[in-house]
Amino acid sequence: MQKTHRIDLRVTEKEYDLILQKKAQCKIGNLSAYMIKMAIDGMVINLNMPELKEISSLLRYNGNNINQIAKRLNEGKSVYASDIADIKEKQSQITNMVREIYLKLSKI
């Protein structure tokens, strides 16, 4: 889409520095893109949450364990109580982390 209108904005050195700092926090490389986003939406939300990576890792871990248990059961073998306890513990961690993320998001 071709941009046809220009908006000029004058700011002090301090304001300019603050704008650049906030732009950097949002990880938007282009100043024009940042200014347009702020003018239209009023805010930029950066959802860089390490908890999401941890949840993803725990979900893979639990998925692998559940698949191993299913395979054992299909082969007529028994399942160990420690395996079930481990899955329950990881699921509890996932649940707690999701709650924490919801709390953080509700404050935005």
Side-chain angles (χ1 to χ4, degrees), residues 42-106:
M43 72 173 90
V44 176
I45 299 173
N46 184 9
L47 293 178
N48 182 15
M49 294 183 177
E51 297 92 344
L52 293 175
K53 287 184 180 182
E54 180 68 19
I55 287 172
S56 182
S57 175
L58 289 170
L59 285 170
R60 273 193 305 278
Y61 179 86
N62 260 7
N64 289 338
N65 281 353
I66 290 168
N67 285 336
Q68 290 173 5
I69 289 171
K71 183 179 177 185
R72 265 193 256 148
L73 289 173
N74 287 332
E75 293 172 350
K77 297 178 182 175
S78 62
V79 176
Y80 301 108
S82 62
D83 292 336
I84 302 297
D86 189 41
I87 289 172
K88 286 181 178 180
E89 173 61 29
K90 298 295 186 227
Q91 191 63 40
S92 176
Q93 288 177 5
I94 292 168
T95 301
N96 290 336
M97 293 177 95
V98 168
R99 280 190 193 121
E100 288 176 23
I101 289 171
Y102 280 139
L103 285 173
K104 285 183 180 180
L105 291 175
S106 71

